[in-house]
Coordinates of all heavy atoms in Angstrom, one line a residue:
M1 N -19.8 9.6 23.3 CA -20.8 10.3 22.6 C -20.2 11.7 22.1 O -20.7 12.2 21.1 CB -22.0 10.6 23.5 CG -22.8 9.3 23.9 SD -23.3 8.3 22.4 CE -24.6 9.3 21.8
K2 N -19.2 12.2 22.8 CA -18.6 13.5 22.4 C -17.8 13.3 21.1 O -17.7 14.3 20.4 CB -17.7 14.0 23.5 CG -18.4 14.5 24.7 CD -17.4 15.0 25.7 CE -18.0 15.4 27.0 NZ -17.1 15.9 28.0
A3 N -17.4 12.1 20.8 CA -16.5 11.9 19.6 C -17.4 11.6 18.4 O -16.9 11.7 17.2 CB -15.6 10.7 19.8
V4 N -18.7 11.4 18.5 CA -19.5 11.0 17.4 C -19.6 12.1 16.4 O -19.5 11.8 15.1 CB -21.0 10.6 17.9 CG1 -21.9 10.5 16.7 CG2 -20.9 9.3 18.7
P5 N -19.7 13.4 16.7 CA -19.8 14.4 15.6 C -18.5 14.5 14.8 O -18.6 14.8 13.6 CB -19.9 15.7 16.4 CG -20.6 15.4 17.7 CD -20.0 14.0 18.0
G6 N -17.4 14.1 15.3 CA -16.1 14.1 14.6 C -16.0 12.9 13.6 O -15.1 12.9 12.7
V7 N -16.9 11.9 13.7 CA -16.8 10.7 12.8 C -17.8 10.8 11.7 O -17.7 10.1 10.7 CB -17.2 9.5 13.7 CG1 -17.2 8.2 12.9 CG2 -16.2 9.4 14.8
I8 N -18.7 11.8 11.7 CA -19.8 11.8 10.7 C -19.2 12.1 9.3 O -19.6 11.3 8.4 CB -20.8 12.9 11.1 CG1 -21.6 12.4 12.4 CG2 -21.8 13.1 10.0 CD1 -22.5 13.5 12.9
E9 N -18.4 13.1 9.1 CA -17.9 13.4 7.8 C -17.0 12.2 7.2 O -17.2 11.9 6.1 CB -17.1 14.7 7.8 CG -17.9 15.9 8.1 CD -17.8 16.3 9.5 OE1 -17.3 15.5 10.3 OE2 -18.3 17.4 9.9
P10 N -16.1 11.7 8.0 CA -15.3 10.6 7.4 C -16.2 9.3 7.1 O -16.0 8.6 6.1 CB -14.3 10.2 8.5 CG -14.1 11.5 9.3 CD -15.5 12.1 9.2
L11 N -17.2 9.1 7.9 CA -18.1 8.0 7.7 C -18.9 8.2 6.4 O -19.1 7.3 5.6 CB -19.1 7.8 8.8 CG -20.0 6.6 8.7 CD1 -19.3 5.4 8.7 CD2 -21.0 6.7 9.9
I12 N -19.3 9.4 6.1 CA -20.1 9.8 4.9 C -19.1 9.6 3.7 O -19.5 9.0 2.6 CB -20.6 11.2 4.9 CG1 -21.8 11.3 5.9 CG2 -21.1 11.7 3.6 CD1 -22.2 12.7 6.2
L13 N -17.9 10.0 3.8 CA -16.9 9.9 2.8 C -16.6 8.4 2.5 O -16.6 8.0 1.3 CB -15.6 10.6 3.1 CG -14.5 10.5 2.1 CD1 -14.9 11.2 0.8 CD2 -13.2 11.1 2.6
F14 N -16.5 7.6 3.5 CA -16.3 6.2 3.4 C -17.4 5.5 2.7 O -17.2 4.7 1.7 CB -16.0 5.5 4.7 CG -15.9 4.0 4.7 CD1 -14.8 3.4 4.3 CD2 -17.0 3.2 5.0 CE1 -14.7 2.0 4.3 CE2 -16.9 1.9 5.0 CZ -15.8 1.3 4.6
V15 N -18.6 5.8 3.1 CA -19.8 5.2 2.5 C -19.9 5.6 1.0 O -20.3 4.8 0.1 CB -21.1 5.6 3.3 CG1 -22.3 5.2 2.5 CG2 -21.1 4.9 4.6
F16 N -19.6 6.9 0.7 CA -19.7 7.3 -0.7 C -18.7 6.6 -1.6 O -19.0 6.2 -2.7 CB -19.5 8.8 -0.7 CG -19.6 9.4 -2.1 CD1 -20.8 9.4 -2.8 CD2 -18.4 9.9 -2.7 CE1 -20.8 9.9 -4.1 CE2 -18.5 10.4 -4.0 CZ -19.7 10.4 -4.7
V17 N -17.4 6.5 -1.1 CA -16.4 5.9 -1.9 C -16.7 4.4 -2.1 O -16.6 3.9 -3.2 CB -15.0 6.2 -1.2 CG1 -13.9 5.3 -1.9 CG2 -14.6 7.6 -1.3
V18 N -16.9 3.7 -1.0 CA -17.2 2.3 -1.1 C -18.5 2.0 -1.8 O -18.5 1.1 -2.6 CB -17.2 1.6 0.3 CG1 -17.6 0.2 0.2 CG2 -15.8 1.7 1.0
G19 N -19.5 2.8 -1.6 CA -20.7 2.6 -2.3 C -20.6 2.9 -3.8 O -21.1 2.2 -4.6
G20 N -19.8 3.9 -4.1 CA -19.5 4.2 -5.5 C -18.8 3.0 -6.2 O -19.1 2.7 -7.4
L21 N -17.9 2.4 -5.5 CA -17.2 1.2 -6.0 C -18.2 0.1 -6.2 O -18.2 -0.6 -7.2 CB -16.1 0.8 -5.1 CG -14.8 1.5 -5.2 CD1 -13.8 1.2 -4.1 CD2 -14.1 1.2 -6.5
L22 N -19.0 -0.2 -5.2 CA -19.9 -1.3 -5.3 C -21.0 -1.2 -6.3 O -21.4 -2.1 -7.0 CB -20.5 -1.6 -3.9 CG -19.5 -2.1 -2.8 CD1 -20.3 -2.2 -1.5 CD2 -18.9 -3.4 -3.2
Y23 N -21.4 0.1 -6.5 CA -22.5 0.3 -7.5 C -22.0 0.6 -8.9 O -22.7 0.7 -9.8 CB -23.4 1.5 -7.0 CG -24.4 1.1 -5.9 CD1 -24.2 1.6 -4.7 CD2 -25.4 0.2 -6.2 CE1 -25.1 1.3 -3.6 CE2 -26.3 -0.2 -5.2 CZ -26.1 0.3 -3.9 OH -27.0 0.0 -2.9
G24 N -20.6 0.6 -9.0 CA -20.0 0.8 -10.3 C -20.1 2.3 -10.8 O -20.0 2.5 -12.0
W25 N -20.2 3.2 -9.9 CA -20.2 4.6 -10.3 C -18.9 5.1 -10.8 O -18.7 5.9 -11.7 CB -20.7 5.5 -9.2 CG -22.1 5.3 -8.8 CD1 -23.1 4.8 -9.5 CD2 -22.7 5.6 -7.6 NE1 -24.3 4.8 -8.8 CE2 -24.1 5.2 -7.6 CE3 -22.2 6.2 -6.4 CZ2 -24.9 5.4 -6.5 CZ3 -23.1 6.4 -5.3 CH2 -24.4 6.0 -5.4
F26 N -17.8 4.5 -10.2 CA -16.5 4.8 -10.6 C -15.5 3.7 -10.3 O -15.9 2.7 -9.6 CB -15.9 6.1 -9.9 CG -16.4 6.3 -8.5 CD1 -15.8 5.6 -7.4 CD2 -17.4 7.2 -8.2 CE1 -16.3 5.8 -6.1 CE2 -17.9 7.4 -6.9 CZ -17.3 6.7 -5.9
S27 N -14.3 3.7 -10.9 CA -13.3 2.6 -10.8 C -12.6 2.8 -9.4 O -12.8 3.8 -8.7 CB -12.4 2.6 -12.0 OG -11.6 3.8 -11.9
A28 N -11.7 1.9 -9.2 CA -10.9 1.9 -8.0 C -10.0 3.1 -8.0 O -9.8 3.8 -7.0 CB -10.1 0.6 -7.8
T29 N -9.4 3.5 -9.1 CA -8.5 4.6 -9.2 C -9.3 5.9 -9.0 O -8.8 6.8 -8.3 CB -7.8 4.7 -10.6 OG1 -7.1 3.4 -10.8 CG2 -6.9 5.8 -10.7
Q30 N -10.4 6.0 -9.6 CA -11.3 7.2 -9.4 C -11.7 7.2 -8.0 O -11.8 8.4 -7.4 CB -12.5 7.1 -10.3 CG -12.1 7.3 -11.8 CD -13.3 6.9 -12.7 OE1 -14.2 6.2 -12.3 NE2 -13.2 7.5 -13.9
A31 N -12.0 6.1 -7.3 CA -12.5 6.1 -5.9 C -11.4 6.6 -5.0 O -11.6 7.4 -4.1 CB -12.9 4.7 -5.5
G32 N -10.1 6.2 -5.3 CA -9.0 6.8 -4.6 C -8.9 8.3 -4.7 O -8.6 9.0 -3.7
A33 N -9.0 8.8 -5.9 CA -9.0 10.2 -6.1 C -10.1 10.9 -5.4 O -9.9 12.0 -4.8 CB -9.0 10.5 -7.6
I34 N -11.3 10.4 -5.5 CA -12.5 11.0 -4.8 C -12.3 11.0 -3.3 O -12.6 11.9 -2.6 CB -13.8 10.3 -5.2 CG1 -14.1 10.6 -6.7 CG2 -14.9 10.6 -4.3 CD1 -15.2 9.8 -7.3
G35 N -11.7 9.8 -2.8 CA -11.5 9.8 -1.4 C -10.4 10.8 -0.9 O -10.6 11.4 0.1
A36 N -9.4 11.0 -1.7 CA -8.3 11.9 -1.3 C -8.9 13.4 -1.4 O -8.6 14.2 -0.5 CB -7.1 11.8 -2.3
A37 N -9.6 13.7 -2.5 CA -10.2 15.0 -2.6 C -11.3 15.2 -1.5 O -11.3 16.3 -0.9 CB -10.9 15.2 -4.0
G38 N -12.0 14.2 -1.2 CA -13.0 14.4 -0.1 C -12.3 14.6 1.2 O -12.8 15.4 2.1
A39 N -11.2 13.9 1.5 CA -10.5 14.1 2.8 C -9.9 15.5 2.9 O -9.9 16.1 3.9 CB -9.5 13.0 2.9
L40 N -9.4 16.0 1.7 CA -8.9 17.3 1.7 C -9.9 18.3 1.9 O -9.7 19.3 2.7 CB -8.2 17.6 0.3 CG -7.6 18.9 0.1 CD1 -6.4 19.1 1.1 CD2 -7.0 19.1 -1.3
I41 N -11.1 18.2 1.3 CA -12.2 19.1 1.5 C -12.6 19.1 3.0 O -12.9 20.1 3.6 CB -13.4 18.8 0.6 CG1 -12.9 19.1 -0.8 CG2 -14.6 19.5 1.0 CD1 -13.9 18.6 -1.9
I42 N -12.8 17.9 3.6 CA -13.2 17.8 5.0 C -12.1 18.5 5.9 O -12.5 19.2 6.8 CB -13.3 16.3 5.4 CG1 -14.5 15.7 4.7 CG2 -13.4 16.2 6.9 CD1 -14.7 14.2 4.9
G43 N -10.9 18.3 5.6 CA -9.8 19.0 6.4 C -9.9 20.5 6.2 O -9.7 21.2 7.2
L44 N -10.2 21.0 5.0 CA -10.3 22.4 4.8 C -11.5 23.0 5.6 O -11.5 24.1 6.1 CB -10.3 22.8 3.3 CG -9.0 22.5 2.6 CD1 -9.2 22.7 1.1 CD2 -7.9 23.5 3.1
V45 N -12.6 22.3 5.5 CA -13.8 22.8 6.1 C -13.7 22.8 7.6 O -14.1 23.7 8.3 CB -15.0 21.9 5.7 CG1 -16.3 22.2 6.6 CG2 -15.4 22.1 4.2
R46 N -13.0 21.7 8.2 CA -12.8 21.7 9.6 C -11.7 22.6 10.1 O -11.4 22.8 11.3 CB -12.4 20.3 10.0 CG -13.5 19.3 10.0 CD -13.0 18.0 10.5 NE -14.0 17.0 10.7 CZ -13.8 15.8 11.1 NH1 -12.6 15.4 11.5 NH2 -14.8 14.9 11.2
R47 N -10.9 23.2 9.2 CA -9.8 24.0 9.4 C -8.7 23.3 10.1 O -7.9 23.8 10.9 CB -10.2 25.3 10.2 CG -11.1 26.2 9.4 CD -11.4 27.4 10.2 NE -12.5 28.1 9.5 CZ -12.3 29.2 8.8 NH1 -11.1 29.7 8.7 NH2 -13.3 29.8 8.3
D48 N -8.5 22.0 9.8 CA -7.5 21.1 10.3 C -6.2 21.2 9.4 O -5.1 20.9 9.8 CB -7.9 19.7 10.4 CG -8.9 19.4 11.4 OD1 -9.0 20.2 12.4 OD2 -9.6 18.4 11.4
I49 N -6.4 21.7 8.2 CA -5.3 21.7 7.2 C -5.0 23.2 6.8 O -6.0 23.9 6.5 CB -5.7 21.0 5.9 CG1 -5.9 19.5 6.3 CG2 -4.6 21.1 4.9 CD1 -6.3 18.7 5.1
N50 N -3.8 23.6 6.9 CA -3.4 24.8 6.4 C -2.3 24.6 5.3 O -2.0 23.4 5.0 CB -2.8 25.8 7.5 CG -1.7 25.2 8.3 OD1 -1.0 24.3 7.8 ND2 -1.6 25.6 9.5
W51 N -1.7 25.6 4.8 CA -0.8 25.4 3.7 C 0.5 24.6 4.1 O 1.0 23.7 3.5 CB -0.3 26.7 3.1 CG 0.6 26.6 1.9 CD1 1.9 26.9 1.9 CD2 0.2 26.1 0.6 NE1 2.4 26.6 0.6 CE2 1.4 26.1 -0.2 CE3 -1.0 25.6 0.1 CZ2 1.4 25.6 -1.5 CZ3 -1.0 25.2 -1.3 CH2 0.2 25.2 -2.0
K52 N 0.9 24.9 5.3 CA 2.2 24.2 5.9 C 1.9 22.7 6.0 O 2.7 21.9 5.7 CB 2.6 24.8 7.2 CG 3.8 24.3 7.8 CD 4.2 24.9 9.1 CE 5.4 24.3 9.6 NZ 5.8 24.8 10.9
T53 N 0.8 22.4 6.6 CA 0.5 20.9 6.8 C 0.2 20.2 5.5 O 0.5 19.0 5.3 CB -0.7 20.7 7.8 OG1 -1.9 21.4 7.3 CG2 -0.4 21.2 9.2
F54 N -0.4 21.0 4.6 CA -0.6 20.4 3.2 C 0.7 20.0 2.5 O 0.8 18.9 2.0 CB -1.5 21.3 2.4 CG -1.8 20.8 1.0 CD1 -2.7 19.8 0.7 CD2 -1.1 21.4 -0.1 CE1 -2.9 19.3 -0.5 CE2 -1.3 20.9 -1.4 CZ -2.2 19.9 -1.6
V55 N 1.6 21.0 2.6 CA 2.9 20.7 1.9 C 3.6 19.6 2.6 O 4.2 18.7 2.0 CB 3.7 22.0 1.9 CG1 5.2 21.8 1.5 CG2 3.1 23.1 1.0
E56 N 3.5 19.5 3.9 CA 4.2 18.5 4.7 C 3.6 17.1 4.4 O 4.3 16.1 4.2 CB 4.1 18.8 6.2 CG 5.1 18.1 7.1 CD 6.5 18.4 6.8 OE1 6.8 19.5 6.4 OE2 7.3 17.5 6.9
A57 N 2.3 17.1 4.2 CA 1.6 15.8 3.9 C 2.0 15.4 2.5 O 2.2 14.2 2.2 CB 0.1 16.0 4.0
C58 N 2.1 16.3 1.6 CA 2.5 16.0 0.2 C 4.0 15.5 0.2 O 4.3 14.5 -0.5 CB 2.4 17.2 -0.7 SG 0.8 17.7 -1.1
K59 N 4.8 16.1 1.0 CA 6.2 15.6 1.1 C 6.2 14.1 1.6 O 7.0 13.3 1.1 CB 7.1 16.5 2.0 CG 7.5 17.8 1.3 CD 8.3 18.6 2.3 CE 8.6 20.0 1.7 NZ 9.4 20.8 2.7
D60 N 5.5 13.9 2.6 CA 5.4 12.5 3.2 C 4.9 11.5 2.2 O 5.3 10.4 2.1 CB 4.6 12.5 4.5 CG 5.2 13.2 5.6 OD1 6.4 13.5 5.6 OD2 4.5 13.6 6.6
G61 N 3.8 11.9 1.5 CA 3.3 11.1 0.5 C 4.3 10.7 -0.7 O 4.3 9.6 -1.1
I62 N 5.0 11.8 -1.1 CA 6.0 11.6 -2.2 C 7.1 10.6 -1.6 O 7.6 9.7 -2.3 CB 6.6 12.9 -2.6 CG1 5.5 13.6 -3.4 CG2 7.8 12.7 -3.5 CD1 5.8 15.1 -3.7
Q63 N 7.5 10.8 -0.4 CA 8.6 10.0 0.2 C 8.1 8.5 0.3 O 8.9 7.6 -0.1 CB 8.9 10.5 1.6 CG 10.1 9.7 2.2 CD 10.4 10.3 3.6 OE1 9.6 11.0 4.2 NE2 11.6 9.9 4.1
T64 N 6.9 8.3 0.7 CA 6.4 7.0 0.8 C 6.3 6.3 -0.6 O 6.6 5.2 -0.8 CB 5.0 7.0 1.5 OG1 5.1 7.5 2.8 CG2 4.5 5.6 1.6
S65 N 5.8 7.1 -1.6 CA 5.7 6.5 -2.9 C 7.1 6.2 -3.5 O 7.2 5.2 -4.1 CB 5.1 7.6 -3.8 OG 3.7 7.8 -3.4
C66 N 8.1 7.0 -3.2 CA 9.4 6.7 -3.7 C 10.0 5.5 -3.0 O 10.7 4.7 -3.7 CB 10.3 7.9 -3.4 SG 10.0 9.3 -4.5
I67 N 9.7 5.3 -1.8 CA 10.2 4.1 -1.1 C 9.5 2.8 -1.7 O 10.2 1.8 -1.9 CB 9.9 4.2 0.4 CG1 10.8 5.2 1.1 CG2 10.1 2.8 1.1 CD1 10.5 5.6 2.5
V68 N 8.2 2.9 -1.9 CA 7.5 1.8 -2.5 C 8.1 1.5 -3.9 O 8.3 0.3 -4.3 CB 6.0 2.0 -2.5 CG1 5.3 1.0 -3.4 CG2 5.5 2.0 -1.1
M69 N 8.3 2.5 -4.7 CA 8.8 2.3 -6.0 C 10.3 1.7 -6.0 O 10.6 0.9 -6.8 CB 8.8 3.6 -6.8 CG 7.4 4.1 -7.2 SD 6.5 2.9 -8.1 CE 7.3 2.9 -9.7
L70 N 11.0 2.2 -5.0 CA 12.4 1.6 -4.9 C 12.3 0.1 -4.5 O 13.1 -0.7 -5.0 CB 13.2 2.4 -3.8 CG 14.6 2.0 -3.6 CD1 15.5 2.2 -4.8 CD2 15.2 2.7 -2.3
L71 N 11.4 -0.2 -3.6 CA 11.3 -1.6 -3.2 C 10.8 -2.5 -4.4 O 11.3 -3.6 -4.6 CB 10.3 -1.8 -2.1 CG 10.8 -1.3 -0.7 CD1 9.7 -1.3 0.3 CD2 11.9 -2.1 -0.2
I72 N 9.9 -2.0 -5.2 CA 9.5 -2.7 -6.4 C 10.6 -2.9 -7.4 O 10.8 -4.0 -7.9 CB 8.3 -2.0 -7.0 CG1 7.0 -2.1 -6.1 CG2 7.9 -2.6 -8.4 CD1 5.9 -1.3 -6.5
T73 N 11.4 -1.8 -7.6 CA 12.5 -1.9 -8.5 C 13.5 -2.9 -8.0 O 14.1 -3.7 -8.8 CB 13.1 -0.5 -8.7 OG1 12.1 0.4 -9.2 CG2 14.2 -0.5 -9.7
A74 N 13.9 -2.8 -6.8 CA 14.9 -3.7 -6.2 C 14.4 -5.1 -6.3 O 15.2 -6.0 -6.6 CB 15.2 -3.3 -4.8
G75 N 13.2 -5.4 -6.0 CA 12.6 -6.7 -6.1 C 12.7 -7.3 -7.5 O 13.0 -8.5 -7.8
T76 N 12.4 -6.4 -8.5 CA 12.5 -6.8 -9.9 C 13.9 -7.2 -10.3 O 14.2 -8.2 -11.0 CB 11.9 -5.7 -10.8 OG1 10.6 -5.4 -10.4 CG2 11.9 -6.1 -12.2
V77 N 14.8 -6.3 -9.9 CA 16.2 -6.5 -10.2 C 16.7 -7.8 -9.6 O 17.4 -8.6 -10.2 CB 17.1 -5.3 -9.8 CG1 18.6 -5.7 -9.9 CG2 16.8 -4.1 -10.7
F78 N 16.4 -8.0 -8.3 CA 16.7 -9.3 -7.6 C 16.1 -10.5 -8.3 O 16.8 -11.5 -8.4 CB 16.3 -9.1 -6.1 CG 16.8 -10.3 -5.3 CD1 18.2 -10.5 -5.1 CD2 15.9 -11.2 -4.7 CE1 18.6 -11.6 -4.4 CE2 16.4 -12.2 -3.9 CZ 17.7 -12.4 -3.8
G79 N 14.9 -10.4 -8.7 CA 14.2 -11.5 -9.4 C 15.0 -11.9 -10.7 O 15.2 -13.1 -11.0
H80 N 15.3 -10.9 -11.4 CA 16.1 -11.1 -12.7 C 17.5 -11.7 -12.4 O 17.9 -12.6 -13.1 CB 16.2 -9.8 -13.5 CG 15.0 -9.4 -14.2 ND1 14.4 -10.1 -15.2 CD2 14.2 -8.3 -14.0 CE1 13.3 -9.5 -15.6 NE2 13.2 -8.4 -14.9
F81 N 18.1 -11.2 -11.3 CA 19.4 -11.8 -10.9 C 19.3 -13.2 -10.6 O 20.1 -14.1 -11.0 CB 19.9 -11.0 -9.7 CG 21.1 -11.6 -9.0 CD1 22.3 -11.6 -9.6 CD2 20.9 -12.3 -7.8 CE1 23.4 -12.2 -9.0 CE2 22.0 -12.9 -7.2 CZ 23.2 -12.9 -7.8
L82 N 18.2 -13.6 -9.8 CA 18.1 -15.0 -9.5 C 17.8 -15.9 -10.7 O 18.2 -17.0 -10.8 CB 16.9 -15.2 -8.5 CG 17.2 -14.7 -7.0 CD1 16.0 -14.9 -6.2 CD2 18.4 -15.4 -6.4
A83 N 17.0 -15.3 -11.6 CA 16.7 -16.1 -12.9 C 17.9 -16.3 -13.7 O 18.1 -17.3 -14.3 CB 15.6 -15.3 -13.7
V84 N 18.8 -15.3 -13.8 CA 20.0 -15.4 -14.7 C 21.0 -16.3 -14.1 O 21.7 -17.1 -14.8 CB 20.6 -14.0 -15.0 CG1 21.9 -14.0 -15.6 CG2 19.6 -13.2 -15.8
T85 N 21.2 -16.2 -12.8 CA 22.2 -17.0 -12.1 C 21.8 -18.4 -11.8 O 22.6 -19.3 -11.4 CB 22.7 -16.4 -10.8 OG1 21.5 -16.2 -9.9 CG2 23.3 -15.0 -11.1
T86 N 20.5 -18.8 -11.9 CA 19.9 -20.1 -11.7 C 20.2 -20.6 -10.2 O 20.3 -21.7 -10.0 CB 20.4 -21.1 -12.7 OG1 21.8 -21.3 -12.5 CG2 20.0 -20.7 -14.1
I87 N 20.4 -19.7 -9.3 CA 20.6 -20.0 -7.9 C 19.5 -20.8 -7.3 O 19.7 -21.8 -6.6 CB 20.9 -18.8 -7.0 CG1 22.2 -18.2 -7.4 CG2 20.8 -19.0 -5.6 CD1 22.6 -16.9 -6.8
P88 N 18.2 -20.5 -7.6 CA 17.1 -21.3 -7.0 C 17.2 -22.8 -7.5 O 16.9 -23.7 -6.7 CB 15.8 -20.7 -7.5 CG 16.3 -19.3 -7.8 CD 17.6 -19.3 -8.3
I89 N 17.5 -23.0 -8.7 CA 17.6 -24.4 -9.3 C 18.7 -25.1 -8.6 O 18.6 -26.3 -8.2 CB 17.8 -24.4 -10.8 CG1 16.5 -23.7 -11.4 CG2 18.0 -25.8 -11.3 CD1 16.6 -23.4 -12.9
V90 N 19.9 -24.5 -8.5 CA 21.0 -25.1 -7.8 C 20.7 -25.4 -6.4 O 21.0 -26.5 -5.9 CB 22.3 -24.2 -7.9 CG1 23.4 -24.7 -7.1 CG2 22.7 -24.0 -9.4
L91 N 20.1 -24.5 -5.7 CA 19.7 -24.7 -4.3 C 18.7 -25.9 -4.2 O 18.8 -26.7 -3.2 CB 19.2 -23.4 -3.7 CG 18.9 -23.5 -2.2 CD1 20.1 -23.7 -1.4 CD2 18.3 -22.1 -1.8
T92 N 17.8 -25.9 -5.1 CA 16.7 -27.0 -5.0 C 17.4 -28.4 -5.3 O 17.1 -29.3 -4.5 CB 15.7 -26.7 -6.1 OG1 15.1 -25.5 -5.9 CG2 14.6 -27.8 -6.1
N93 N 18.3 -28.5 -6.2 CA 19.0 -29.7 -6.5 C 19.9 -30.1 -5.3 O 20.0 -31.3 -5.0 CB 19.8 -29.6 -7.8 CG 18.9 -29.5 -9.0 OD1 17.8 -30.0 -9.0 ND2 19.5 -28.9 -10.0
W94 N 20.5 -29.2 -4.7 CA 21.3 -29.5 -3.5 C 20.5 -30.0 -2.4 O 20.8 -31.0 -1.7 CB 22.1 -28.2 -3.1 CG 22.9 -28.4 -1.8 CD1 24.0 -29.1 -1.7 CD2 22.6 -27.8 -0.6 NE1 24.5 -29.0 -0.4 CE2 23.7 -28.2 0.3 CE3 21.7 -27.0 -0.1 CZ2 23.7 -27.8 1.6 CZ3 21.7 -26.6 1.3 CH2 22.7 -27.0 2.1
V95 N 19.3 -29.4 -2.1 CA 18.5 -29.9 -1.0 C 17.8 -31.3 -1.4 O 17.8 -32.1 -0.5 CB 17.3 -28.9 -0.7 CG1 16.3 -29.4 0.2 CG2 17.9 -27.6 -0.2
K96 N 17.5 -31.4 -2.6 CA 16.9 -32.8 -3.1 C 18.0 -33.9 -2.9 O 17.6 -35.0 -2.7 CB 16.4 -32.7 -4.5 CG 15.1 -32.0 -4.6 CD 14.7 -31.7 -6.0 CE 14.7 -32.8 -7.0 NZ 14.2 -32.5 -8.3
G97 N 19.2 -33.5 -3.1 CA 20.3 -34.6 -3.0 C 20.6 -35.0 -1.6 O 21.4 -35.9 -1.4
M98 N 20.1 -34.3 -0.6 CA 20.4 -34.6 0.8 C 19.8 -35.9 1.2 O 18.7 -36.2 0.8 CB 20.0 -33.5 1.7 CG 20.8 -32.2 1.5 SD 20.3 -31.0 2.8 CE 21.6 -29.8 2.5
P99 N 20.4 -36.7 2.1 CA 19.9 -38.0 2.5 C 18.8 -37.9 3.6 O 18.4 -38.9 4.2 CB 21.1 -38.7 3.0 CG 22.0 -37.6 3.6 CD 21.8 -36.4 2.6
W100 N 18.3 -36.7 3.8 CA 17.3 -36.5 4.9 C 15.9 -36.8 4.4 O 15.6 -36.7 3.2 CB 17.3 -35.1 5.4 CG 18.6 -34.6 6.0 CD1 19.6 -35.4 6.4 CD2 19.0 -33.3 6.1 NE1 20.6 -34.6 6.9 CE2 20.3 -33.3 6.7 CE3 18.5 -32.1 5.8 CZ2 21.0 -32.2 7.0 CZ3 19.2 -30.9 6.1 CH2 20.5 -31.0 6.7
P101 N 15.0 -37.3 5.3 CA 13.6 -37.5 4.8 C 12.9 -36.1 4.6 O 13.3 -35.1 5.1 CB 13.0 -38.2 6.0 CG 13.8 -37.8 7.2 CD 15.2 -37.6 6.7
P102 N 11.9 -36.2 3.7 CA 11.2 -34.9 3.3 C 10.7 -34.1 4.5 O 10.6 -32.9 4.6 CB 10.1 -35.4 2.4 CG 10.6 -36.6 1.8 CD 11.4 -37.3 2.9
V103 N 10.2 -34.9 5.6 CA 9.7 -34.2 6.8 C 10.7 -33.3 7.4 O 10.4 -32.3 7.9 CB 9.1 -35.3 7.7 CG1 8.7 -34.6 9.0 CG2 8.0 -36.0 7.1
A104 N 12.0 -33.8 7.4 CA 13.1 -33.0 8.1 C 13.3 -31.7 7.3 O 13.6 -30.7 7.9 CB 14.3 -33.9 8.1
I105 N 13.2 -31.8 6.0 CA 13.4 -30.5 5.2 C 12.3 -29.6 5.3 O 12.5 -28.4 5.5 CB 13.7 -30.9 3.7 CG1 15.0 -31.7 3.6 CG2 13.8 -29.7 2.9 CD1 15.2 -32.3 2.3
V106 N 11.1 -30.1 5.2 CA 9.9 -29.2 5.3 C 9.7 -28.7 6.7 O 9.3 -27.5 6.9 CB 8.6 -30.0 4.8 CG1 7.4 -29.2 5.1 CG2 8.8 -30.3 3.4
G107 N 10.0 -29.5 7.7 CA 9.8 -29.1 9.1 C 10.7 -28.1 9.6 O 10.4 -27.4 10.6
S108 N 11.8 -27.9 9.0 CA 12.8 -26.9 9.5 C 12.5 -25.6 8.9 O 12.1 -24.6 9.2 CB 14.2 -27.3 9.2 OG 14.4 -27.4 7.8

């Protein structure tokens, strides 16, 4: 029961963001922005966020975004590499040419 007062603001923010999405008040991108702004406002009102923690959170967010973009880029390059070299087709033909029953190939 002592933790209930600390859940009220995030619960209101969640209901507002999800409700806004469901009722069509705003798009998913706008809902993300509203959720981020609302979380920032809640942190400022509660005095959980100061300038140092805000800058640190921004750095962590940028680092995570860069990692995700690097993974997407690497996956795209790898996909193009596989398409150009036709490795999947060669591998498929090699497996199809084996004298094993299909259950042995799928089961492993």
Side-chain angles (χ1 to χ4, degrees):
M1 293 306 287
K2 290 181 181 179
V4 171
V7 177
I8 293 172
E9 293 96 351
L11 184 62
I12 291 171
L13 180 63
F14 174 79
V15 169
F16 180 68
V17 169
V18 174
L21 277 171
L22 292 176
Y23 285 111
W25 294 337
F26 35 79
S27 68
T29 304
Q30 292 169 335
I34 289 171
L40 180 62
I41 291 169
I42 289 172
L44 290 172
V45 168
R46 287 184 175 181
R47 297 182 188 256
D48 291 337
I49 297 176
N50 56 25
W51 184 251
K52 182 180 178 183
T53 56
F54 177 73
V55 169
E56 199 63 34
C58 288
K59 285 180 184 177
D60 290 343
I62 291 170
Q63 182 180 18
T64 303
S65 297
C66 289
I67 290 170
V68 169
M69 293 301 291
L70 180 67
L71 288 172
I72 290 171
T73 303
T76 302
V77 170
F78 185 63
H80 286 295
F81 168 77
L82 290 177
V84 169
T85 59
T86 65
I87 290 174
I89 296 169
V90 172
L91 185 62
T92 301
N93 291 334
W94 177 68
V95 171
K96 283 171 52 177
M98 291 185 171
W100 300 339
V103 174
I105 295 172
V106 173
S108 58

